[in-house]
Amino acid sequence: MLSFTLNGLRFKNPLILASGILDESGETMLKVIEHGAGGVVTKSIGRKPREGYENPVIYELPYGLLNAIGLANPGIENYGEEIKVAKKGGVPVIGSVFGSTVEGFVYLAKKMEEYGADAVELNLSCPHAKGYGMEVGTDIALVEEIVEGVKKEISIPVWAKITPNTENLVKIAKAVEGADALVLINTVKAMAIDIEAGMPVLSNKFGGLSGPCIKPIGVRAVYEVYREVEKPIIGVGGITYGRDAIEYLMAGATALQVGTAVYLRGIEVFSLIAKEMEEWMEKHGYAHFTELIGLAQVR
Ligand SMILES: Cc1cc2nc3c(=O)[nH]c(=O)nc-3n(C[C@H](O)[C@H](O)[C@H](O)COP(=O)(O)O)c2cc1C
């Protein structure tokens, strides 16, 4: 009911761990795999080790999470072992990378391939890291060059993760159509203010909003891009229950990623969502989840 192949990679279910949640170390990725994830995406890794921002970097809201971790990561040269450990889980391991130039992305992607990653996800969308992520990801000419540059240099699949923080979503999606799949969405740029202190809560002031409150934005993004782009879309943003997964599939997603729900429902969330999806499909007479892809598209 839930197994499928994407870009030649076999997944036991379409529920993949999203970048940035329990995925900096190989050991925690293995734990997530043991709890039913169909695949895992690593934390976004850059060229050099980065400490990220000062605390507070995460703020819990009743409807989601606001974070500005600042792309803290151990650096690509120290990351080979983590991929090796995660690969023991027997599901696809996707190496997420961030950079600011074509050459930077190519270097990182080649390293991920060398380490044994099954695919590379290009982070073109983090909303709170100066000089990276969304700042790169809203430059339409640059994202096209990055994807083309990386595609030429590696033979594993390339996924492009794009930002919802733009009115040019479809233009950006078309610019990265050379990728093997598109991942949408990253977090939504946002902020919170501590009214007693009279100052922003996060040390970085701005952060990325994730969780249930961004699901309608993610669903809309997937729906819009599905109509314009031929490549498979991986939907992410607020998927917490089986019914959220079904909604993304109906909008046009081929696979899904789950992040904040790991905080909300625990590490078992992957097997819980898989079970809820199966129950829903059985009740509604669907034999396989792929029958749902794009079902809600109104032409
Ligand atoms: C604490 C935290 C750290 C994140 N770090 C990354 C990251 O390093 N790279 C990236 O591409 N996305 C990162 N994200 C974004 C998630 O991968 C995902 O796109 C977003 O949170 C929406 O999905 P969700 O609502 O299921 O969490 C992070 C999200 C959170 C909450």
Side-chain angles (χ1 to χ4, degrees), residues 97-260:
V97 295
F98 73 93
S100 51
T101 61
V102 180
E103 299 71 33
F105 272 101
V106 167
Y107 182 85
L108 294 162
K110 278 175 134 175
K111 279 277 175 187
M112 282 293 187
E113 181 172 42
E114 185 190 313
Y115 292 155
D118 297 289
V120 166
E121 184 175 284
L122 308 176
N123 177 352
L124 302 168
S125 42
C126 177
H128 53 72
K130 231 184 154 11
Y132 297 107
M134 182 178 117
E135 287 186 18
V136 174
T138 47
D139 181 333
I140 295 173
L142 182 57
V143 286
E144 189 168 354
E145 275 175 47
I146 291 171
V147 169
E148 276 176 13
V150 172
K151 270 302 285 175
K152 263 193 267 162
E153 295 291 332
I154 62 172
S155 50
I156 54 175
V158 176
W159 296 358
K161 184 170 180 183
I162 62 175
T163 179
N165 300 301
T166 171
E167 56 183 48
N168 288 325
L169 176 76
V170 170
K171 280 191 192 143
I172 293 169
K174 281 180 180 281
V176 300
E177 215 175 345
D180 299 285
L182 272 57
V183 182
L184 10 145
I185 56 176
N186 208 315
T187 50
V188 177
K189 189 173 179 180
M191 84 183 294
I193 288 169
D194 179 334
I195 58 167
E196 302 309 325
M199 59 190 284
V201 173
L202 296 174
S203 72
N204 185 56
K205 300 189 211 66
F206 306 117
L209 189 60
S210 62
C213 56
I214 69 164
K215 188 186 67 172
I217 301 171
V219 169
R220 181 270 299 169
V222 170
Y223 189 96
E224 275 194 327
V225 169
Y226 179 83
R227 305 166 81 86
E228 304 288 340
V229 167
E230 296 296 321
K231 292 294 163 69
I233 298 171
I234 298 158
V236 49
I239 299 173
T240 314
Y241 295 96
R243 59 177 182 269
D244 306 320
I246 307 278
E247 195 177 343
Y248 267 95
L249 294 170
M250 286 189 174
T254 291
L256 309 160
Q257 292 181 4
V258 176
T260 301

Side-chain angles (χ1 to χ4, degrees), residues 1-3 14 242 246 249-250 273-292:
M1 237 179 180
L2 294 182
S3 64
I246 307 278
L249 294 170
M250 286 189 174
I273 296 179
K275 192 162 154 275
E276 289 155 5
M277 287 173 76
E278 284 175 344
E279 282 168 5
W280 190 93
M281 286 190 288
E282 246 161 53
K283 198 167 149 199
H284 293 81
Y286 293 100
H288 197 268
F289 85 87
T290 46
E291 293 165 35
L292 297 165

